[in-house]
Amino acid sequence: MKFILSVVIATSSLFAAVSAHAIVKRAPPSGPHWDYSGDKTGPDHWGLLDPAYVTCETGMQQSPVDINAQSLSRFVHCAKKALTFDYEPVKDAVAHFNGHTVEIDWTPNSKTHNNSIAIGKKEYHLIQFHFHTPSEHRINGRHADGELHLVHRNPVDKSLAVIGVLLQAQARNVPFFHYLTALQKKVHADKRDSAVAAAPGTTSAVVDELLKDSVCAGTQPTPQSATKVDYPLKLVDFAPLVRALKGFTPRWEYSGSLTTPPCSENVAWNVMHDPYPIGLDQLRALVDLQGYNARDLEDSRGPAHE
């Protein structure tokens, strides 16, 4: 399990989008305000904010987790058999900052292909994907620079399956993430230039304190302003991602939870063994848009709970 891990990003929420050619109108988030701060609205207090969030406090299979020798011997399984999946490009998607994460979603119609994965006899359809910075899952205690979550839902019982992809920063930008810098520029309408060049090396120390130099690229947008900006995507082609991840194999599998309120459990997690690259400029754009949005590791499966 060798990773050149560096910086960190990512998390979730299910908003509907309309055609990329129309003005997108989204309903305001329901439930009480929550965030990633150390205050009374932060992760340590999510379970106290609303009765609907109590699982964040009392759940016994919470995510994210550290994948290490102990968790592998207890509840995480290393899967080397190919995951059954059926992915095609998605048309007319929308990239936006929803107040917690940068998310890409779309409105299904009769012509939309149900990108899907199969776990056992159960099929799950891809409904959105989003980012965390830094990564929420850790490998042997170490963050990755970010994490991409591909969120799938079973159409019958509405249960969820998530593919988690650890992101590793590199100097060159990656075509699959081209919309990140474009969304950042659209949010900052003045299109100010970044005063800091992307260093071609590594990163870390929790993404170098979440890329200190990102402040040189502009002021962190407020949720109120950023959530009103959408960047339309005519096509999202997953082929380069799926190819690089060898058809989502190998991977670590375990039963966990959503990493955001309401922290619902029985989520089928598939964390990819191999990281996927992200350009440092693209990572900087993510950090500028969403800041630190990674839930702390959960220890609900510790010896005291067995």
Side-chain angles (χ1 to χ4, degrees):
M1 296 184 283
K2 295 184 178 178
F3 290 86
I4 306 174
L5 299 179
S6 337
V7 192
V8 203
I9 307 185
T11 201
S12 61
S13 140
L14 313 175
F15 290 96
V18 296
S19 167
H21 304 292
I23 297 176
V24 178
K25 295 182 179 180
R26 293 184 170 81
S30 58
H33 169 72
W34 58 268
D35 55 33
Y36 292 91
S37 69
D39 299 329
K40 292 183 178 181
T41 51
D44 289 344
H45 300 275
W46 287 350
L48 306 175
L49 296 176
D50 190 288
Y53 299 170
V54 68
T55 305
C56 301
E57 180 79 14
T58 63
M60 301 296 286
Q61 294 187 340
Q62 289 290 288
S63 299
V65 300
D66 184 20
I67 297 173
N68 54 37
Q70 184 187 53
S71 60
L72 279 165
S73 67
R74 295 177 53 240
F75 61 90
V76 177
H77 170 65
C78 183
K80 298 179 182 178
K81 184 179 179 181
L83 181 69
T84 302
F85 69 94
D86 180 12
Y87 267 38
E88 290 186 5
V90 170
K91 294 181 180 179
D92 294 337
V94 177
H96 61 103
F97 174 64
N98 64 26
H100 299 120
T101 180
V102 171
E103 179 176 298
I104 292 78
D105 53 26
W106 49 91
T107 299
N109 58 49
S110 58
K111 296 182 180 179
T112 303
H113 178 74
N114 285 322
N115 284 344
S116 65
I117 60 174
I119 300 175
K121 296 181 179 180
K122 214 168 185 181
E123 185 175 278
Y124 300 84
H125 298 167
L126 180 66
I127 54 175
Q128 53 103 325
F129 61 94
H130 61 266
F131 300 85
H132 293 269
T133 42
S135 69
E136 296 198 298
H137 288 91
R138 300 187 201 181
I139 312 300
N140 293 320
R142 299 185 64 188
H143 279 290
D145 298 330
E147 188 169 342
L148 166 67
H149 287 172
L150 298 157
V151 182
H152 303 73
R153 182 169 57 203
N154 179 273
V156 179
D157 65 13
K158 309 305 180 185
S159 58
L160 299 175
V162 183
I163 292 178
V165 181
L166 301 178
L167 302 177
Q168 177 178 301
Q170 65 174 31
R172 183 179 300 176
N173 282 342
V174 177
F176 183 72
F177 298 127
H178 70 90
Y179 44 82
L180 295 177
T181 50
L183 176 63
Q184 180 197 31
K185 288 179 180 179
K186 193 169 182 182
V187 167
H188 299 290
D190 58 350
K191 297 183 180 179
R192 75 279 179 274
D193 295 324
S194 172
V196 181
T202 60
T203 2
S204 210
V206 182
V207 192
D208 279 321
E209 293 183 48
L210 274 184
L211 300 178
K212 273 183 184 176
D213 57 4
S214 68
V215 296
C216 297
T219 307
Q220 175 80 6
T222 63
Q224 289 76 14
S225 63
T227 54
K228 296 178 182 178
V229 178
D230 294 291
Y231 184 77
L233 303 173
K234 291 183 179 179
L235 189 75
V236 178
D237 185 4
F238 297 98
L241 178 72
V242 174
R243 187 165 51 245
L245 296 174
K246 303 170 188 173
F248 302 124
T249 307
R251 63 194 176 278
W252 291 293
E253 300 175 330
Y254 77 98
S255 179
S257 74
L258 294 178
T259 61
T260 58
C263 307
S264 308
E265 297 190 331
N266 298 314
V267 173
W269 274 100
N270 296 263
V271 180
M272 295 301 102
H273 181 282
D274 298 330
Y276 188 73
I278 183 172
L280 197 52
D281 281 343
Q282 295 166 331
L283 181 62
R284 181 176 287 113
L286 259 181
V287 171
D288 183 49
L289 288 164
Q290 64 184 27
Y292 187 101
N293 68 341
R295 188 187 190 189
D296 294 336
L297 290 176
E298 295 302 305
D299 59 1
S300 57
R301 303 173 201 244
H305 297 280
E306 290 184 326

